[in-house]
Amino acid sequence: MKRTLPVIANNRPTKETLEKGKEYYFCTCGRSKNQPFCDGSHVGTSFSPLAFTAEESGDAFLCACKHTKNAPFCDGSHKAFTAEQVGQEGPGVSAE
């Protein structure tokens, strides 16, 4: 399996309306055409989707840069990326 870095799908979060108790599959590779959710585009990479269940109904800001340390939710990491970097591989999530 090829080790790859996440693609910066966008440099701002995606506002999504979630339904309490529903399971979602968050795209971690950044390659999905159905952002911020998985469409299977990770096949052949080292990524897999992040399954999560909404704890409450309502709007949530989900990460689109794929570099959050609080996946699937935005933590502001997108502020490090420019519009020109969208669609390119990013540095990956650091452990710091």
Side-chain angles (χ1 to χ4, degrees):
M1 187 176 316
K2 181 181 169 198
R3 171 69 182 134
T4 53
L5 294 168
V7 169
I8 302 162
N10 206 331
N11 64 343
R12 60 184 182 273
T14 302
K15 182 178 175 182
E16 296 292 334
T17 302
L18 303 179
E19 185 180 322
K20 181 179 181 175
K22 184 175 178 181
E23 187 172 43
Y24 296 90
Y25 293 89
F26 174 73
C27 168
T28 59
C29 71
R31 291 160 175 79
S32 173
K33 302 293 184 225
N34 187 34
Q35 290 296 330
F37 303 109
C38 178
D39 71 357
S41 294
H42 63 275
V43 174
T45 72
S46 58
F47 293 95
S48 58
L50 172 68
F52 73 99
T53 302
E55 294 180 12
E56 57 188 53
S57 291
D59 292 338
F61 289 92
L62 302 185
C63 175
C65 77
K66 309 306 171 183
H67 288 74
T68 183
K69 293 184 176 84
N70 188 32
F73 304 102
C74 174
D75 70 358
S77 294
H78 63 274
K79 295 174 185 171
F81 303 114
T82 65
E84 290 75 30
Q85 290 174 290
V86 172
Q88 304 297 315
E89 284 189 349
V93 180
S94 64
E96 56 182 67

